Amino acid sequence: INPFDTYNLRQKARLVAIPTTSGTGSEVTWGIVLTDTVEQRKMGLGARECLADLAIIDPIFVQKLPAPIVADTGMDVLAHAFDAYVNTWHNDFSDGLALQAIRLVFTYLPRSYAGGDAEAREHMHNAAAIAGLAFSNSLCCLSHGLGHALGAYFHLPHGRCVGLATPYALEFFAPAGTARMLDIAQALRLPAETETEAAAALAGKIRALAKEIGQPLSLPEAGVSQADFEAHLERLADHAEGDSQTITSPRMPARDDLVKLFQYMYDGKPVDF
């Protein structure tokens, strides 16, 4: 699908989107993800005519959302926001939205997961849409390239995969010095003076949040066996390399880098290359 093509939609009806989870932000985006069950890969596509005419962001629909779904979808929001801010297509319009979504997630996701109070659920519902607006006016990057590959092969929830991948991607970006992670760290009042220090601080904060809400910090914690991981490692790297989201990463991974990233994600090791 070419995002600049037209398909003459909306000739007979209008599209109204009402999200019932607080994660994808799809009600305000034009992205499309299709799963090829034969190739076991996810394909990121897009068509601007798929953008809803009206989005209704009503937190009443998520007040009884189960805690595990709150966690999975909440990590998706965080991955969207970080990717939208650090990728090479970032811009003035996406930056503010991304930063606000990041602040909201760190403030309200633990509360939404732990108790499901109405205020926290409302802010997380808003955060999902705000992050969706951010990355649809920018793009996603490496955490989604890695996450798409993992989710398709191991049939894991999307938010869990990209949430797991995000701190590893940020650590990988640090040597490039172009991901502007120091800006995010300063917005969150984290102690950091360099991109490397900011990447470490942000990765630590994301991992602490993930641990608090029962999310995995490594592939074995996500239920991936060593045998399955080793059997699929080369294909995982192939699919991440070919993913449409990977190309806007502020540090482009070579194929060998992708293999190492997956190995570090399996071992739960901070990225040091």
Side-chain angles (χ1 to χ4, degrees), residues 35-41 235:
T35 299
D36 185 331
T37 56
V38 175
E39 292 290 325
Q40 290 185 281
R41 67 187 303 171
R235 294 291 298 277

Side-chain angles (χ1 to χ4, degrees), residues 215-238:
Q215 290 284 289
L217 302 180
S218 66
L219 292 180
E221 289 183 18
V224 178
S225 71
Q226 184 174 356
D228 283 345
F229 174 71
E230 292 176 351
H232 295 302
L233 178 56
E234 294 299 324
R235 294 291 298 277
L236 288 171
D238 287 341

Side-chain angles (χ1 to χ4, degrees), residues 154-176:
F154 300 118
H155 308 291
L156 296 168
H158 170 75
R160 195 177 305 172
C161 292
V162 295
L164 171 59
T166 296
Y168 295 93
L170 296 180
E171 290 167 338
F172 176 76
F173 295 154

